[in-house]
Amino acid sequence: KNDLAVMDNSLIRASYKLTTNEMRLILVALAQIPKDEPVDPKTAYYVTKEDFVKLGVKPNNVAREIRDACGDLLSRVVFIDTPIGELGVHWVHSIMHFKSEALEKLKKDYPTAKNDEEFINKLRMHNLLDSLPLIAKSDDNIIARIVFHEDIMPYISQLKKQFTKLNLAEIFGFGSFYSFRFYLMMMQFQGTGYFRISISDLRKIFHIQDKYEATKDLKVRVIDTAIDEINEKSPYDVKYDLVKKGRTYTHLELRFKEKKAEKEQLKCPKTMDMF
């Protein structure tokens, strides 16, 4: 039930840079937000090892990958175009990476008559009391706790129009931040299977205005890296063209469609077994 993440279209086209693991962390938490009911902006969302494994991270690396993702996410900012200017917003209000040794100690020591009150008061002081029911029964699978920033909530919660859905199962194994971003834009135009974007806007969206200044470098390091991975690991076939005006590349045109074999198999799951 938590495989669908929803974003406002202005957030799809916003300018930001995240690491691959930070992108995974954001998407896993986004997918937990209720789609059709009011949401308390102070609600915490919990990320498990299993969540990252479902996105293609190897089980033996998953704890380290999540720990790395938690490191700088608190300082990450997304820049959103508004009718009166560009709005800078933090992704998260708070983020915690649980220490495995602390969880083990909790399981051994809690609850005891000696430390109940002191322990509860400390959790309350740090606004972590909601974590107690999950952690006390944890199988050591829970790794991180995220609270989104209240200013980002209008772009990720209770969306009624101009929003995009992303199925996390379709991005299994993505290893490039650019693959995630291209895929988000693709899903915004899923109905047409086509979108066109200027090279300058592409640079802004990916937050690489000062990188890969030569178009050939942008093509190899960003565009081809993402499109090749999407073609390999997603249920879509993607092709693109770089459009020139004179001697300068000005736009990227991207076309995509569902892979026929996967689409047919979804319609008739027993077909492949029969043959």
Side-chain angles (χ1 to χ4, degrees):
K1 67 179 180 180
N2 289 333
D3 282 344
L4 189 69
V6 178
M7 290 187 184
D8 187 274
N9 285 350
S10 57
L11 187 56
I12 298 291
R13 291 297 189 105
S15 174
Y16 61 88
K17 185 73 172 77
L18 298 172
T19 67
T20 304
N21 284 326
E22 288 168 349
M23 192 78 206
R24 289 174 177 140
L25 207 58
I26 290 289
L27 290 174
V28 167
L30 281 179
Q32 297 176 42
I33 297 179
K35 309 302 184 289
D36 300 312
E37 59 186 76
V39 176
D40 185 346
K42 297 179 181 179
T43 299
Y45 302 97
Y46 294 86
V47 179
T48 69
K49 295 177 184 177
E50 183 182 0
D51 291 324
F52 262 45
V53 171
K54 285 182 178 179
L55 290 180
V57 177
K58 294 180 179 179
N60 57 323
N61 295 335
V62 69
R64 183 182 71 248
E65 302 277 5
I66 295 177
R67 182 178 65 246
D68 291 345
C70 293
D72 296 317
L73 187 55
L74 192 62
S75 63
R76 301 297 189 192
V77 176
V78 53
F79 298 94
I80 302 170
D81 283 332
T82 77
I84 57 173
E86 190 175 68
L87 174 67
V89 178
H90 283 277
W91 281 102
V92 299
H93 173 269
S94 65
I95 185 165
M96 168 177 279
H97 175 260
F98 293 113
K99 297 179 179 178
S100 57
E101 60 270 22
L103 295 184
E104 288 302 319
K105 187 176 188 301
L106 172 61
K107 292 174 190 176
K108 292 178 181 178
D109 296 348
Y110 180 83
T112 68
K114 181 179 179 181
N115 64 14
D116 271 2
E117 184 176 352
E118 179 183 0
F119 179 69
I120 293 296
N121 285 337
K122 284 184 178 179
L123 287 180
R124 186 177 288 112
M125 179 181 70
H126 297 294
N127 295 316
L128 296 173
L129 199 57
D130 59 281
S131 303
L132 183 59
L134 292 117
I135 298 173
K137 299 177 182 179
S138 170
D139 59 356
D140 208 24
N141 191 36
I142 294 177
I143 296 293
R145 176 187 185 273
I146 292 176
V147 177
F148 284 107
H149 198 286
E150 61 179 355
D151 290 341
I152 202 76
M153 293 305 294
Y155 302 98
I156 59 177
S157 172
Q158 291 182 268
L159 304 176
K160 303 299 182 184
K161 57 183 181 179
Q162 296 182 331
F163 62 87
T164 295
K165 298 177 181 179
L166 176 69
N167 189 334
L168 268 60
E170 294 184 351
I171 57 176
F172 177 84
F174 279 12
S176 167
F177 167 72
Y178 304 122
S179 300
F180 286 108
R181 293 305 311 271
F182 266 114
Y183 208 72
L184 284 167
M185 288 190 288
M186 284 170 50
M187 294 303 97
Q188 183 182 352
F189 295 96
Q190 191 173 14
T192 62
Y194 167 84
F195 71 85
R196 175 185 172 100
I197 185 171
S198 71
I199 298 299
S200 59
D201 282 347
L202 185 69
R203 291 183 180 277
K204 179 182 178 182
I205 287 172
F206 288 178
H207 214 60
I208 51 173
Q209 294 95 324
D210 300 325
K211 296 182 69 176
Y212 315 126
E213 295 182 4
T215 303
K216 63 178 182 180
D217 293 332
L218 179 70
K219 181 180 183 300
V220 172
R221 300 293 185 88
V222 177
I223 303 173
D224 286 345
T225 296
I227 301 307
D228 288 348
E229 184 167 60
I230 291 172
N231 278 327
E232 177 188 353
K233 299 177 179 178
S234 86
Y236 290 90
D237 280 319
V238 186
K239 295 181 180 179
Y240 77 89
D241 293 303
L242 291 174
V243 181
K244 266 186 175 182
K245 185 176 182 180
R247 300 179 62 182
T248 303
Y249 289 103
T250 60
H251 288 79
L252 178 144
E253 292 184 340
L254 188 146
R255 294 171 176 82
F256 60 97
K257 61 183 179 180
E258 288 185 77
K259 294 173 183 174
K260 186 175 180 181
E262 293 191 17
K263 190 174 182 181
E264 292 300 321
Q265 193 171 356
L266 286 174
K267 289 180 179 178
C268 185
K270 296 182 180 179
T271 300
M272 296 303 292
D273 289 340
M274 179 180 70
F275 282 105

